[in-house]
Amino acid sequence: MKKVLTICLAIIMVFAMSISVCAAPGSFVESPSNNGAPTLIEYINDDPTCTAILKIYSYAQRNGLLDVFRKEMENAYNTIHDTLDLTTICNSLTDVANEKNIRPTDLKVSDLFFIDMTDCDIHSEHGRFKIKLSADTLKGFTGLMQFVDGKWVMVSGATIEDGNYLTFKTDVPSTFAIVVDSTRAVATSPKTGDPSGYVMLALAGVAVVAMAATGIVVYTKKKHE
């Protein structure tokens, strides 16, 4: 009997730990690993002869990047994870918060992604990209940050078009973070292929079954007694 109770307690503890791991860390709305990559709608370079191809990677897909870019993205993640006030890592956000009457601590990152570039060996001779993308994490959009030389800067001119599309002009490859007013943002559900949500549900199911089995054992034992 004690063995069964011990197993049940262990299952419940694992389940509780899973919930804690999936909680929103630092200044994220929720773990960026729960988000799929934004959809790249279109992109245009200042130089029409540029042959570059762009691709967006979500934080969960970072291992598909070159090591230097993966490490950059993880460093960018850590700076957001380790603060409760984004204005401490991006001074320009203070002006944004004041202008829009948002408390600094209500500014959160709803998505973290990397835009990579291939197929252009002479891109230093070309200009910036005008990028248009869609994402499920734009609710409450306040601004867009870019990780440049180990620091976060605001991407000027980043706007929402038609309520569904984020447009901005910038250099790539680079890590970007969507900043939102967390009082208006909507946390996303785990995307298909992301195991975190399913693991939690499975653990919950196992815990319920185990506890039910324990109850049956106890009831049966008392009945025979």
Side-chain angles (χ1 to χ4, degrees), residues 105-149:
T105 52
D106 284 336
L107 292 173
K108 303 291 182 181
V109 169
S110 64
D111 208 354
L112 183 72
F113 58 92
F114 190 96
I115 302 182
D116 197 9
M117 179 189 69
T118 60
D119 291 36
C120 186
D121 297 328
I122 55 171
H123 194 70
S124 59
E125 300 176 12
H126 300 154
R128 299 190 300 167
F129 288 92
K130 181 178 180 181
I131 298 170
K132 181 177 182 180
L133 57 81
S134 65
D136 295 328
T137 52
L138 298 177
K139 181 69 173 179
F141 177 81
T142 301
L144 182 68
M145 298 193 301
Q146 182 178 6
F147 202 59
V148 180
D149 296 330

Side-chain angles (χ1 to χ4, degrees), residues 169-189:
K169 197 170 183 178
T170 190
D171 295 321
V172 292
S174 194
T175 302
F176 296 86
I178 297 175
V179 180
V180 299
D181 176 355
S182 61
T183 64
R184 298 169 52 208
V186 178
T188 59
S189 300

Side-chain angles (χ1 to χ4, degrees), residues 18-19 21-25 28-37 58-62 77 110-112 136-137 187-198 200:
S18 297
I19 293 176
V21 168
C22 293
F28 286 106
V29 172
E30 64 171 323
S31 173
S33 293
N34 289 346
N35 300 332
S58 68
Y59 187 68
Q61 298 170 326
R62 64 189 182 282
Y77 168 89
S110 64
D111 208 354
L112 183 72
D136 295 328
T137 52
T188 59
S189 300
K191 301 293 185 294
T192 301
D194 176 23
S196 59
Y198 301 111
M200 291 173 63

Side-chain angles (χ1 to χ4, degrees), residues 2-217:
K2 291 183 179 180
K3 184 177 181 180
V4 174
L5 288 174
T6 300
I7 294 174
C8 289
L9 288 173
I11 292 173
I12 293 171
M13 288 177 63
V14 171
F15 177 56
M17 290 172 64
S18 297
I19 293 176
S20 176
V21 168
C22 293
S27 286
F28 286 106
V29 172
E30 64 171 323
S31 173
S33 293
N34 289 346
N35 300 332
T39 301
L40 191 59
I41 305 300
E42 64 180 13
Y43 54 91
I44 302 172
N45 189 265
D46 288 338
D47 187 337
T49 66
C50 180
T51 59
I53 296 176
L54 303 188
K55 182 178 179 180
I56 300 182
Y57 290 81
S58 68
Y59 187 68
Q61 298 170 326
R62 64 189 182 282
N63 288 330
L65 294 166
L66 294 175
D67 281 348
V68 62
F69 293 149
R70 176 185 56 77
K71 291 178 181 178
E72 174 193 313
M73 196 178 194
E74 290 175 347
N75 186 22
Y77 168 89
N78 289 334
T79 63
I80 298 171
H81 175 278
D82 294 340
T83 184
L84 295 176
D85 184 349
L86 290 177
T87 62
T88 62
I89 60 173
C90 183
N91 293 333
S92 299
L93 275 177
T94 301
D95 295 333
V96 174
N98 292 335
E99 179 184 343
K100 299 189 176 184
N101 196 28
I102 302 173
R103 292 189 306 173
T105 52
D106 284 336
L107 292 173
K108 303 291 182 181
V109 169
S110 64
D111 208 354
L112 183 72
F113 58 92
F114 190 96
I115 302 182
D116 197 9
M117 179 189 69
T118 60
D119 291 36
C120 186
D121 297 328
I122 55 171
H123 194 70
S124 59
E125 300 176 12
H126 300 154
R128 299 190 300 167
F129 288 92
K130 181 178 180 181
I131 298 170
K132 181 177 182 180
L133 57 81
S134 65
D136 295 328
T137 52
L138 298 177
K139 181 69 173 179
F141 177 81
T142 301
L144 182 68
M145 298 193 301
Q146 182 178 6
F147 202 59
V148 180
D149 296 330
K151 296 181 180 179
W152 285 108
V153 298
M154 295 297 296
V155 178
S156 62
T159 58
I160 300 296
E161 293 184 357
D162 302 324
N164 298 312
Y165 303 106
L166 172 60
T167 62
F168 56 98
K169 197 170 183 178
T170 190
D171 295 321
V172 292
S174 194
T175 302
F176 296 86
I178 297 175
V179 180
V180 299
D181 176 355
S182 61
T183 64
R184 298 169 52 208
V186 178
T188 59
S189 300
K191 301 293 185 294
T192 301
D194 176 23
S196 59
Y198 301 111
V199 170
M200 291 173 63
L201 288 174
L203 287 172
V206 171
V208 170
V209 171
M211 285 186 288
T214 301
I216 293 173
V217 171

